[in-house]
Amino acid sequence: MKQNPFLISGYSSPEFFCDREAETARVIEAIRNQRHLTIISPRRMGKTGVIKHSFYQLRGKKSVTPVYLDILTTTSLVEFTELFGRSVLSTLAGSESLFKKVSRVLSSLRLKLSIDPLTGEPSVTFSITDRENAIESLGTIFRYISTRKSHFVIAIDEFQQIVRYDEGSTEAIIRSHLQNTPNISFIFSGSRQHVLSEIFTNPARPLFNTTEIIDLTTIESSLYKNFIAEKFSSANKKITASALDYIEKLTGMHTFYVQYLCNRLYGRFKSVDSDNVKGLLVQILAENESVYANYLSLLTPTQIRVIKSVALAGGVTTPTSAEFISAYNLGAPSTVSQAIKSLTDKQFLYHDGEKYKLTDVFFSWWIYYR
Ligand SMILES: Nc1ncnc2c1ncn2[C@@H]1O[C@H](COP(=O)(O)OP(=O)(O)OP(=O)(O)O)[C@@H](O)[C@H]1O
Ligand SMILES: [Mg+2]
């Protein structure tokens, strides 16, 4: 059976990956020249994809060691260090003999190697006792990296999480290693625009001006449409131009939502027209009824009024304008502005450089059709 070419999670290979050529070239160029990057985009736009796609281009190159870690679930420097150490060491300890060598050099870390019985991948565990021990262990790992010939690319995904660590100062610790380990390029990425911009562009913060920022936006629509049409036709399926236009209208080409619609359309039909797309949207909204109702239960009445207005308006440039406020009867500008801020912090809304929009495209249509 031919695999569905529209992935809705993870990265597989260039065959299933659309465009991002300029972004990937920028990432590779930065790595080649030992510069650091920050990739920022709304949720599900394709940050992780760009990182994994860039790593794919570097595979097999002995001179580069790519390391990827997603710190979303970490809550302290101790947990960060455990995950960081595990990710770096699993990459290094590709084989048992290499592992022995690494653990001899890093004897102070008390490492344990296990082989995942399902995948056969090596995985390293070591436990950190406390914050002091975490700082020491990070020092040991970075010192070890600096003795290697290879250039390390360390991608830390969901980087905004570090501001939630109680202790603070994680940024300063990372900065010192970033500055003192010449054979590392960092790629920081995440979706909380405000938090990340603040970390990297506020002169008072330790990581100020240490990285180049890539704002990842949508894939150019004609490229994406060609990609979709090509995937259909290479499976002897068809999708009409009006269906593609309709997908664009529904999703604004927000990557995950395009992928999701196409995955389902591809799975169900041999030939797709715009009515099929419409029918599928109606079905998706019905399937997600309880999810969306739950979203609303997380919001205050004012936030609900504001998010509904943004959905109905199809995005808003100036939410505090008299025009928007009176069109949707929203009350005082300060209340609206506060609601927009909370909704953005909670990532229900994002700012695409021009407008505030709903992050979840289907939720937006659910509100619209209610
Ligand atoms: N260029 C692309 N071509 C095809 N599919 C893509 C592309 N980029 C990402 N995707 C798919 O879109 C979905 C979202 O991408 P990804 O997980 O990279 O986004 P993200 O910005 O990291 O999201 P999050 O904020 O949730 O971490 C995934 O299912 C991924 O497989
Ligand atoms: Mg991601």
Side-chain angles (χ1 to χ4, degrees), residues 57-168:
Q57 320 288 320
L58 297 167
R59 79 199 179 289
K61 288 205 169 37
K62 282 231 160 60
S63 57
V64 179
T65 306
V67 178
Y68 172 88
L69 58 148
D70 177 340
I71 62 168
L72 189 67
T73 55
T74 60
T75 60
S76 64
L77 184 68
V78 166
E79 288 176 18
F80 172 87
T81 305
E82 281 178 348
L83 180 60
F84 178 76
R86 218 164 49 230
S87 311
V88 172
L89 297 165
S90 299
T91 311
L92 288 174
S95 70
E96 219 155 329
S97 60
L98 240 175
F99 173 75
K100 284 201 179 113
K101 228 158 94 194
V102 174
S103 43
R104 213 174 314 126
V105 183
L106 298 178
S107 55
S108 63
L109 294 181
R110 283 183 285 128
L111 305 172
K112 218 176 100 197
L113 178 76
S114 53
I115 306 287
D116 185 315
L118 291 179
T119 63
E121 295 275 317
S123 123
V124 180
T125 45
F126 68 111
S127 48
I128 305 280
T129 45
D130 55 26
R131 192 178 146 75
E132 284 310 301
N133 185 222
I135 294 172
E136 237 170 74
S137 301
L138 278 177
T140 309
I141 297 165
F142 278 106
R143 267 195 307 283
Y144 179 68
I145 289 176
S146 70
T147 66
R148 309 276 303 185
K149 284 206 191 71
S150 180
H151 184 78
F152 280 65
V153 185
I154 298 187
I156 308 184
D157 212 347
E158 307 297 351
F159 188 67
Q160 70 268 347
Q161 188 65 18
I162 62 154
V163 301
R164 300 236 178 120
Y165 301 172
D166 301 333
E167 318 95 350

Side-chain angles (χ1 to χ4, degrees), residues 29-80:
E29 199 265 339
I31 293 171
R32 288 230 165 91
N33 295 286
Q34 284 119 51
R35 299 195 310 269
H36 311 291
L37 288 173
T38 302
I39 304 179
I40 306 179
S41 84
R43 293 291 321 269
R44 296 175 150 188
M45 195 60 90
K47 299 171 292 294
T48 307
V50 166
I51 295 172
K52 297 273 167 101
H53 189 60
S54 306
F55 279 11
Y56 188 94
Q57 320 288 320
L58 297 167
R59 79 199 179 289
K61 288 205 169 37
K62 282 231 160 60
S63 57
V64 179
T65 306
V67 178
Y68 172 88
L69 58 148
D70 177 340
I71 62 168
L72 189 67
T73 55
T74 60
T75 60
S76 64
L77 184 68
V78 166
E79 288 176 18
F80 172 87

